[in-house]
Amino acid sequence: MTPSGIASHDSASQPQGEQQRGGEAGPAPAGMPHPHPAPLAPTRAHRPVPDASVLTLEDPGPLLATGASADVYALDEEYVLRRYRNGHDAAREARILQHVAAHGFPVPTVFLSEGPNLLMERLHGPTLLQALAAGEIPIGEAAQVLVDLHTRLHAVPAAADEPCDEARWPFVASGPVVVHLDLHPGNVVLSDTRGPTLVDWANARAGSAELDVALTALILGEVAVDAGGDYSQAARALLAAFVVRSPVSPLDALTEATSTRRADPNLVTGESELVEDAAELIRDLIRVAH
Ligand SMILES: Nc1ncnc2c1ncn2[C@@H]1O[C@H](COP(=O)(O)OP(=O)(O)OP(=O)(O)O)[C@@H](O)[C@H]1O
Ligand SMILES: [Mg+2]
C-alpha cells in the first residue's frame, strides 16, 4: 500500500535538463479573481501568459502529472494548468499562493484562477521524491530541504482574512502563520530555476508551525511503518533525519496531527491504521535521538 501523501503517481517523470525557460508575469489578465502583487518570476525571456480561454479547454495539453485530486497539464514549456477533477474551487488556493509568494516563499507563480483551474508557471525538475528514489539526493540533504521549507513558510504571517475552514478541518486550531499541512517529498519540486519549490496547496491555511511539522513527520512515518511499501526503509531514514534537524519538535502537536490525519477523507484504504503506528515510531525516534 502507498499512503495517500506519497502516492506512486508522484513518480511520473517530468522532462528535465531543458532549455532555460522564462515565466515572468505580464500584466494580470482579465478574470484574475483577486488583485495580487507582482509575481516572483524567473528572469528569462518568456512567452506571453495564455489568456483565460485556456482554462476551459477540454484537452489543454499533455498530462504532466495526475495527483489524487487534480490533473496537471503542460500547456507549453512555461505554463501548466492544474485542474481539480471534482470541480473544487481553486480560488482560495490561488490567494494563499499569491500571499506566500509575496513573502518570498518559493511557489510556482499563479497567473489565473477560475473554478477548479489554476494557470501556473511550469516548474522543471524532479520532485524530491523522484530525486530520492533515483538516489540523486542524500537522505540528510532531503530532510534539510523539508526542514528549510517549513522554517521559511512559518515565517510567513497568516493573511488577515484567512478563514479557518473549520467544517473541513474540525481538529485544527487556527494559528498565526501559514501552514501547508501536506509538506512531503512528493509535493516539493526541485526546480532548475527556483530550487526546492512547494506545490499542492489544497490544505494550506492559517495554523501553527508545530502542527505542520508533526503532519510531515506523520506522513513520512506512515510510509515507514508500511512494511510492504516501496519506500519504507528510505522513509524511516528520512523521518529520523527530519526529526533530528527540525527546530520545531514533531511531538508538540503530534496528538492534533494524528486526529487530523485520521479524519482526512483522502486517506487510501488501510492508511488510517498506519497513523497510530507512525506516531509511535516518531516518539521512538525522538526518544533515541535524545
Ligand atoms: N507548477 C507545476 N509545474 C510542474 N509540475 C507541477 C506543477 N504543479 C504540480 N506539478 C506536478 O504535478 C504533481 C501533482 O500535483 P499536485 O500535488 O498539486 O496534485 P494533487 O492531485 O493535489 O496531488 P496529491 O496526489 O498529492 O493530492 C506534482 O507532484 C508535480 O509533480
Ligand atoms: Mg501532491
Side-chain angles (χ1 to χ4, degrees), residues 119-143:
L119 173 64
M120 290 187 285
E121 169 193 355
R122 179 173 172 184
L123 303 170
H124 291 266
T127 64
L128 182 56
L129 181 62
Q130 290 166 343
L132 277 164
E136 291 167 1
I137 183 168
I139 297 267
E141 211 176 292

Side-chain angles (χ1 to χ4, degrees), residues 2 4 31 45 51 58 64 80 97 107 113 123 141-142 159 163 173 175 192 219 230 237 240 268 276:
T2 307
S4 60
D51 66 33
E58 231 173 79
L64 201 57
V80 295
L97 276 157
V107 289
S113 100
L123 303 170
E141 211 176 292
D192 61 3
I219 293 167
D230 295 342
V268 298
E276 278 305 333

Side-chain angles (χ1 to χ4, degrees), residues 4-7 9-10 66-70 82 180 182 184 186-188 199-201:
S4 60
I6 305 183
H9 49 68
D10 279 332
T66 182
S69 53
R82 181 178 186 275
H180 183 274
D182 201 17
H184 62 69
N187 282 336
V188 176
V199 300
D200 196 357
W201 289 75

Side-chain angles (χ1 to χ4, degrees), residues 246-260:
S246 175
V248 173
S249 171
L251 290 183
D252 292 345
L254 193 56
T255 307
E256 192 187 351
T258 306
S259 313
T260 304

